[in-house]
Amino acid sequence: AQSVAQPEDQVNVAEGNPLTVKCTYSVSGNPYLFWYVQYPNRGLQFLLKYITGDNLVKGSYGFEAEFNKSQTSFHLKKPSALVSDSALYFCAVSEASGGSYIPTFGRGTSLIVHP
Amino acid sequence: DAGVTQSPTHLIKTRGQQVTLRCSPKSGHDTVSWYQQALGQGPQFIFQYYEEEERQRGNFPDRFSGHQFPNYSSELNVNALLLGDSALYLCASIRDRGDGYTFGSGTRLTVV
């Protein structure tokens, strides 16, 4: 079975500072990894994905994520946070081949960027 | 290019009633998944439809059923509603396995 852990319910950061939202995963075989953002009363918006290749993946709105196979992690990062980045962030994992490719989502991390 | 469209946006139902939620996928997407998102939780997979058939199902009771039409749009039906069914129901569409989902804005279902 595949699973995702987002160990922090909330991350607080000052505007202009770098941010990191943590994600670890468990899956049989190679993973497909995703980050989504959700604003209040809205659906999820796709930010970025890791399929294969370069371990550093760049996505929308200046976000990037680093895939670390040995640590089974896929942390979301941004060099300089904006107040408008405040939202709920979800990490998701699915299997790259065989089995289920239905993404399993984490519980989410609330990012709060203070002015 | 329209994304995923869901209707209605909000719905209030009484325990024991039945509800139907609707979804139109993004243009070019042929696979539709439904998720339930309870307050403060991540989305939980209900089922996925492809070529008008349920391809995979999550850990939800048979009260939850669905359908996909030839134009790829989909419905989610929930019978015998319980208070615990109150949640945001999200529809997501996809074309290829490695793609990110495109989500609709969801239907907020409140069961009283």
Side-chain angles (χ1 to χ4, degrees):
Chain A
Q2 58 197 37
S3 65
V4 170
Q6 293 183 242
E8 302 153 317
D9 289 336
Q10 185 171 302
V11 169
N12 290 277
V13 64
E15 187 174 31
N17 283 359
L19 69 88
T20 299
V21 183
K22 296 179 180 178
C23 170
T24 59
Y25 67 90
S26 175
V27 68
S28 300
N30 293 319
Y32 285 166
L33 293 156
F34 307 87
W35 276 101
Y36 292 82
V37 60
Q38 185 177 32
Y39 296 98
N41 300 312
R42 300 298 303 273
L44 279 68
Q45 295 179 30
F46 169 74
L47 276 179
L48 52 79
K49 66 180 179 181
Y50 171 83
I51 302 299
T52 186
D54 195 349
N55 289 343
L56 185 63
V57 177
K58 295 187 182 298
S60 306
Y61 312 119
F63 284 94
E64 57 189 28
E66 186 169 11
F67 170 63
N68 187 318
K69 188 172 184 177
S70 63
Q71 296 185 5
T72 60
S73 67
F74 190 57
H75 301 331
L76 181 69
K77 300 180 180 183
K78 187 174 182 181
S80 179
L82 300 173
V83 172
S84 58
D85 292 330
S86 299
L88 198 53
Y89 290 81
F90 291 96
C91 180
V93 66
S94 64
E95 295 182 31
S97 62
S100 168
Y101 69 99
I102 304 298
T104 297
F105 287 82
R107 290 170 54 96
T109 298
S110 177
L111 173 66
I112 300 175
V113 181
H114 303 277
Chain B
D1 178 26
V4 176
T5 304
Q6 291 187 244
S7 63
T9 55
H10 295 85
L11 205 52
I12 299 175
K13 289 287 189 177
T14 303
R15 274 181 302 175
Q17 284 189 315
Q18 178 265 344
V19 68
T20 297
L21 311 181
R22 295 177 174 81
C23 171
S24 293
K26 182 177 179 178
S27 178
H29 289 186
D30 57 5
T31 302
V32 174
S33 294
W34 286 93
Y35 284 82
Q36 180 195 66
Q37 186 180 19
L39 202 60
Q41 303 292 320
Q44 298 295 312
F45 173 69
I46 303 175
F47 42 56
Q48 184 182 80
Y49 276 84
Y50 173 70
E51 292 188 341
E52 302 180 51
E53 291 192 357
E54 183 182 291
R55 181 155 63 176
Q56 196 158 347
R57 188 179 182 90
N59 188 26
F60 279 79
D62 292 345
R63 297 187 298 108
F64 289 77
S65 64
H67 189 78
Q68 185 179 34
F69 299 93
N71 66 353
Y72 309 124
S73 66
S74 177
E75 288 182 348
L76 164 64
N77 301 290
V78 186
N79 295 322
L81 285 167
L82 304 173
L83 295 179
D85 295 332
S86 295
L88 181 67
Y89 288 84
L90 296 167
C91 174
S93 69
I94 196 171
R95 186 179 61 185
D96 296 321
R97 185 179 183 125
D99 292 342
Y101 275 119
T102 299
F103 280 84
S105 293
T107 294
R108 173 71 64 186
L109 173 65
T110 302
V111 183
V112 297

PDB file of all heavy atoms in Angstrom, chain B residues 10-11 14 19 23 37 45 52-53 56 68 81 83 89-90 93 103 106 108 112:
ATOM      1  N   HIS B  10     -22.903  24.022  -3.839  1.00  0.00           N
ATOM      2  CA  HIS B  10     -23.309  23.751  -2.462  1.00  0.00           C
ATOM      3  C   HIS B  10     -24.632  22.985  -2.463  1.00  0.00           C
ATOM      4  O   HIS B  10     -25.454  23.170  -3.353  1.00  0.00           O
ATOM      5  CB  HIS B  10     -23.500  25.044  -1.654  1.00  0.00           C
ATOM      6  CG  HIS B  10     -22.261  25.829  -1.463  1.00  0.00           C
ATOM      7  ND1 HIS B  10     -21.806  26.730  -2.409  1.00  0.00           N
ATOM      8  CD2 HIS B  10     -21.358  25.853  -0.459  1.00  0.00           C
ATOM      9  CE1 HIS B  10     -20.686  27.272  -1.959  1.00  0.00           C
ATOM     10  NE2 HIS B  10     -20.390  26.778  -0.796  1.00  0.00           N
ATOM     11  N   LEU B  11     -24.795  22.155  -1.429  1.00  0.00           N
ATOM     12  CA  LEU B  11     -25.991  21.339  -1.344  1.00  0.00           C
ATOM     13  C   LEU B  11     -26.255  20.999   0.110  1.00  0.00           C
ATOM     14  O   LEU B  11     -25.317  20.640   0.837  1.00  0.00           O
ATOM     15  CB  LEU B  11     -25.761  20.050  -2.131  1.00  0.00           C
ATOM     16  CG  LEU B  11     -26.920  19.262  -2.714  1.00  0.00           C
ATOM     17  CD1 LEU B  11     -27.828  20.152  -3.557  1.00  0.00           C
ATOM     18  CD2 LEU B  11     -26.378  18.125  -3.567  1.00  0.00           C
ATOM     19  N   THR B  14     -31.003  16.122   3.840  1.00  0.00           N
ATOM     20  CA  THR B  14     -31.408  15.536   5.114  1.00  0.00           C
ATOM     21  C   THR B  14     -30.948  14.087   5.183  1.00  0.00           C
ATOM     22  O   THR B  14     -30.871  13.407   4.142  1.00  0.00           O
ATOM     23  CB  THR B  14     -32.934  15.594   5.268  1.00  0.00           C
ATOM     24  OG1 THR B  14     -33.351  16.960   5.147  1.00  0.00           O
ATOM     25  CG2 THR B  14     -33.382  15.063   6.616  1.00  0.00           C
ATOM     26  N   VAL B  19     -28.387  11.865  -3.117  1.00  0.00           N
ATOM     27  CA  VAL B  19     -27.852  13.038  -3.788  1.00  0.00           C
ATOM     28  C   VAL B  19     -27.073  12.617  -5.035  1.00  0.00           C
ATOM     29  O   VAL B  19     -26.486  11.526  -5.075  1.00  0.00           O
ATOM     30  CB  VAL B  19     -26.935  13.845  -2.831  1.00  0.00           C
ATOM     31  CG1 VAL B  19     -25.666  13.072  -2.497  1.00  0.00           C
ATOM     32  CG2 VAL B  19     -26.609  15.204  -3.402  1.00  0.00           C
ATOM     33  N   CYS B  23     -20.069  16.211 -12.824  1.00  0.00           N
ATOM     34  CA  CYS B  23     -18.728  16.655 -13.158  1.00  0.00           C
ATOM     35  C   CYS B  23     -18.496  16.590 -14.663  1.00  0.00           C
ATOM     36  O   CYS B  23     -18.800  15.566 -15.287  1.00  0.00           O
ATOM     37  CB  CYS B  23     -17.710  15.767 -12.446  1.00  0.00           C
ATOM     38  SG  CYS B  23     -15.995  16.024 -12.957  1.00  0.00           S
ATOM     39  N   GLN B  37     -13.320  15.027   0.604  1.00  0.00           N
ATOM     40  CA  GLN B  37     -12.411  15.736   1.489  1.00  0.00           C
ATOM     41  C   GLN B  37     -13.182  16.248   2.694  1.00  0.00           C
ATOM     42  O   GLN B  37     -13.947  17.213   2.596  1.00  0.00           O
ATOM     43  CB  GLN B  37     -11.718  16.895   0.773  1.00  0.00           C
ATOM     44  CG  GLN B  37     -10.654  17.568   1.625  1.00  0.00           C
ATOM     45  CD  GLN B  37      -9.962  18.714   0.926  1.00  0.00           C
ATOM     46  OE1 GLN B  37     -10.447  19.262  -0.053  1.00  0.00           O
ATOM     47  NE2 GLN B  37      -8.795  19.086   1.435  1.00  0.00           N
ATOM     48  N   PHE B  45      -9.816   8.929  -1.860  1.00  0.00           N
ATOM     49  CA  PHE B  45     -10.246   8.417  -3.150  1.00  0.00           C
ATOM     50  C   PHE B  45     -11.528   7.597  -3.022  1.00  0.00           C
ATOM     51  O   PHE B  45     -11.604   6.669  -2.204  1.00  0.00           O
ATOM     52  CB  PHE B  45      -9.122   7.564  -3.740  1.00  0.00           C
ATOM     53  CG  PHE B  45      -9.480   6.840  -5.003  1.00  0.00           C
ATOM     54  CD1 PHE B  45      -9.698   7.531  -6.178  1.00  0.00           C
ATOM     55  CD2 PHE B  45      -9.587   5.456  -5.007  1.00  0.00           C
ATOM     56  CE1 PHE B  45     -10.028   6.864  -7.347  1.00  0.00           C
ATOM     57  CE2 PHE B  45      -9.904   4.776  -6.169  1.00  0.00           C
ATOM     58  CZ  PHE B  45     -10.129   5.478  -7.336  1.00  0.00           C
ATOM     59  N   GLU B  52     -16.364   4.622 -19.420  1.00  0.00           N
ATOM     60  CA  GLU B  52     -17.702   4.391 -18.884  1.00  0.00           C
ATOM     61  C   GLU B  52     -17.777   3.254 -17.869  1.00  0.00           C
ATOM     62  O   GLU B  52     -18.875   2.813 -17.518  1.00  0.00           O
ATOM     63  CB  GLU B  52     -18.707   4.151 -20.013  1.00  0.00           C
ATOM     64  CG  GLU B  52     -18.791   5.293 -21.013  1.00  0.00           C
ATOM     65  CD  GLU B  52     -19.776   5.048 -22.129  1.00  0.00           C
ATOM     66  OE1 GLU B  52     -20.937   4.704 -21.842  1.00  0.00           O
ATOM     67  OE2 GLU B  52     -19.376   5.194 -23.311  1.00  0.00           O
ATOM     68  N   GLU B  53     -16.608   2.821 -17.384  1.00  0.00           N
ATOM     69  CA  GLU B  53     -16.603   1.753 -16.392  1.00  0.00           C
ATOM     70  C   GLU B  53     -15.824   2.189 -15.152  1.00  0.00           C
ATOM     71  O   GLU B  53     -14.850   2.946 -15.251  1.00  0.00           O
ATOM     72  CB  GLU B  53     -15.991   0.476 -16.968  1.00  0.00           C
ATOM     73  CG  GLU B  53     -16.842  -0.174 -18.033  1.00  0.00           C
ATOM     74  CD  GLU B  53     -16.363  -1.570 -18.372  1.00  0.00           C
ATOM     75  OE1 GLU B  53     -15.333  -2.019 -17.807  1.00  0.00           O
ATOM     76  OE2 GLU B  53     -17.016  -2.215 -19.198  1.00  0.00           O
ATOM     77  N   GLN B  56     -11.388   1.585 -10.704  1.00  0.00           N
ATOM     78  CA  GLN B  56     -10.826   1.309  -9.391  1.00  0.00           C
ATOM     79  C   GLN B  56     -11.694   1.992  -8.339  1.00  0.00           C
ATOM     80  O   GLN B  56     -12.311   3.027  -8.610  1.00  0.00           O
ATOM     81  CB  GLN B  56      -9.389   1.806  -9.306  1.00  0.00           C
ATOM     82  CG  GLN B  56      -8.605   1.244  -8.145  1.00  0.00           C
ATOM     83  CD  GLN B  56      -7.114   1.310  -8.384  1.00  0.00           C
ATOM     84  OE1 GLN B  56      -6.648   1.551  -9.494  1.00  0.00           O
ATOM     85  NE2 GLN B  56      -6.348   1.104  -7.326  1.00  0.00           N
ATOM     86  N   GLN B  68     -20.173   7.118 -15.723  1.00  0.00           N
ATOM     87  CA  GLN B  68     -19.500   7.986 -16.689  1.00  0.00           C
ATOM     88  C   GLN B  68     -20.238   7.884 -18.015  1.00  0.00           C
ATOM     89  O   GLN B  68     -20.598   6.777 -18.455  1.00  0.00           O
ATOM     90  CB  GLN B  68     -18.029   7.601 -16.870  1.00  0.00           C
ATOM     91  CG  GLN B  68     -17.285   8.585 -17.781  1.00  0.00           C
ATOM     92  CD  GLN B  68     -15.820   8.251 -17.963  1.00  0.00           C
ATOM     93  OE1 GLN B  68     -15.434   7.089 -17.993  1.00  0.00           O
ATOM     94  NE2 GLN B  68     -14.988   9.278 -18.080  1.00  0.00           N
ATOM     95  N   LEU B  81     -28.075   9.024   2.901  1.00  0.00           N
ATOM     96  CA  LEU B  81     -27.070   9.939   3.435  1.00  0.00           C
ATOM     97  C   LEU B  81     -26.970   9.889   4.954  1.00  0.00           C
ATOM     98  O   LEU B  81     -27.976   9.804   5.671  1.00  0.00           O
ATOM     99  CB  LEU B  81     -27.386  11.365   2.987  1.00  0.00           C
ATOM    100  CG  LEU B  81     -27.060  11.695   1.534  1.00  0.00           C
ATOM    101  CD1 LEU B  81     -27.709  13.009   1.125  1.00  0.00           C
ATOM    102  CD2 LEU B  81     -25.555  11.734   1.316  1.00  0.00           C
ATOM    103  N   LEU B  83     -24.856  11.747   8.421  1.00  0.00           N
ATOM    104  CA  LEU B  83     -24.232  13.009   8.806  1.00  0.00           C
ATOM    105  C   LEU B  83     -22.754  13.026   8.433  1.00  0.00           C
ATOM    106  O   LEU B  83     -22.204  14.052   8.020  1.00  0.00           O
ATOM    107  CB  LEU B  83     -24.388  13.242  10.309  1.00  0.00           C
ATOM    108  CG  LEU B  83     -25.807  13.430  10.828  1.00  0.00           C
ATOM    109  CD1 LEU B  83     -25.788  13.632  12.347  1.00  0.00           C
ATOM    110  CD2 LEU B  83     -26.508  14.599  10.153  1.00  0.00           C
ATOM    111  N   TYR B  89     -16.791  17.358  -1.983  1.00  0.00           N
ATOM    112  CA  TYR B  89     -16.606  16.291  -2.964  1.00  0.00           C
ATOM    113  C   TYR B  89     -15.929  16.871  -4.193  1.00  0.00           C
ATOM    114  O   TYR B  89     -16.440  17.798  -4.828  1.00  0.00           O
ATOM    115  CB  TYR B  89     -17.935  15.636  -3.317  1.00  0.00           C
ATOM    116  CG  TYR B  89     -18.442  14.793  -2.167  1.00  0.00           C
ATOM    117  CD1 TYR B  89     -19.156  15.363  -1.120  1.00  0.00           C
ATOM    118  CD2 TYR B  89     -18.134  13.436  -2.097  1.00  0.00           C
ATOM    119  CE1 TYR B  89     -19.569  14.594  -0.035  1.00  0.00           C
ATOM    120  CE2 TYR B  89     -18.544  12.668  -1.021  1.00  0.00           C
ATOM    121  CZ  TYR B  89     -19.260  13.257   0.010  1.00  0.00           C
ATOM    122  OH  TYR B  89     -19.652  12.501   1.083  1.00  0.00           O
ATOM    123  N   LEU B  90     -14.780  16.304  -4.491  1.00  0.00           N
ATOM    124  CA  LEU B  90     -13.947  16.807  -5.572  1.00  0.00           C
ATOM    125  C   LEU B  90     -13.930  15.836  -6.736  1.00  0.00           C
ATOM    126  O   LEU B  90     -13.780  14.629  -6.545  1.00  0.00           O
ATOM    127  CB  LEU B  90     -12.516  17.016  -5.069  1.00  0.00           C
ATOM    128  CG  LEU B  90     -12.331  18.074  -3.986  1.00  0.00           C
ATOM    129  CD1 LEU B  90     -10.948  17.955  -3.355  1.00  0.00           C
ATOM    130  CD2 LEU B  90     -12.530  19.457  -4.555  1.00  0.00           C
ATOM    131  N   SER B  93      -9.879  15.181 -13.214  1.00  0.00           N
ATOM    132  CA  SER B  93      -9.717  14.467 -14.474  1.00  0.00           C
ATOM    133  C   SER B  93      -8.245  14.406 -14.859  1.00  0.00           C
ATOM    134  O   SER B  93      -7.413  15.215 -14.406  1.00  0.00           O
ATOM    135  CB  SER B  93     -10.544  15.130 -15.586  1.00  0.00           C
ATOM    136  OG  SER B  93     -10.024  16.396 -15.943  1.00  0.00           O
ATOM    137  N   PHE B 103      -8.336  19.430 -10.910  1.00  0.00           N
ATOM    138  CA  PHE B 103      -9.466  19.325  -9.995  1.00  0.00           C
ATOM    139  C   PHE B 103     -10.511  20.396 -10.289  1.00  0.00           C
ATOM    140  O   PHE B 103     -10.175  21.524 -10.686  1.00  0.00           O
ATOM    141  CB  PHE B 103      -9.021  19.513  -8.548  1.00  0.00           C
ATOM    142  CG  PHE B 103      -8.404  18.296  -7.927  1.00  0.00           C
ATOM    143  CD1 PHE B 103      -7.065  18.001  -8.105  1.00  0.00           C
ATOM    144  CD2 PHE B 103      -9.173  17.431  -7.161  1.00  0.00           C
ATOM    145  CE1 PHE B 103      -6.497  16.881  -7.532  1.00  0.00           C
ATOM    146  CE2 PHE B 103      -8.615  16.306  -6.576  1.00  0.00           C
ATOM    147  CZ  PHE B 103      -7.277  16.026  -6.763  1.00  0.00           C
ATOM    148  N   GLY B 106     -15.213  21.691  -6.575  1.00  0.00           N
ATOM    149  CA  GLY B 106     -15.867  20.855  -5.586  1.00  0.00           C
ATOM    150  C   GLY B 106     -17.323  21.190  -5.335  1.00  0.00           C
ATOM    151  O   GLY B 106     -17.810  22.275  -5.681  1.00  0.00           O
ATOM    152  N   ARG B 108     -19.808  21.286  -2.050  1.00  0.00           N
ATOM    153  CA  ARG B 108     -19.868  21.219  -0.586  1.00  0.00           C
ATOM    154  C   ARG B 108     -21.206  20.622  -0.192  1.00  0.00           C
ATOM    155  O   ARG B 108     -22.245  21.253  -0.379  1.00  0.00           O
ATOM    156  CB  ARG B 108     -19.698  22.602   0.015  1.00  0.00           C
ATOM    157  CG  ARG B 108     -19.918  22.674   1.524  1.00  0.00           C
ATOM    158  CD  ARG B 108     -18.817  22.027   2.308  1.00  0.00           C
ATOM    159  NE  ARG B 108     -17.528  22.700   2.133  1.00  0.00           N
ATOM    160  CZ  ARG B 108     -16.387  22.252   2.622  1.00  0.00           C
ATOM    161  NH1 ARG B 108     -16.345  21.124   3.314  1.00  0.00           N
ATOM    162  NH2 ARG B 108     -15.279  22.925   2.426  1.00  0.00           N
ATOM    163  N   VAL B 112     -27.916  17.235   7.147  1.00  0.00           N
ATOM    164  CA  VAL B 112     -28.462  17.670   8.443  1.00  0.00           C
ATOM    165  C   VAL B 112     -29.497  16.675   8.950  1.00  0.00           C
ATOM    166  O   VAL B 112     -30.005  15.836   8.197  1.00  0.00           O
ATOM    167  CB  VAL B 112     -29.082  19.071   8.330  1.00  0.00           C
ATOM    168  CG1 VAL B 112     -28.005  20.081   7.968  1.00  0.00           C
ATOM    169  CG2 VAL B 112     -30.207  19.085   7.302  1.00  0.00           C
TER     170      VAL B 112
END
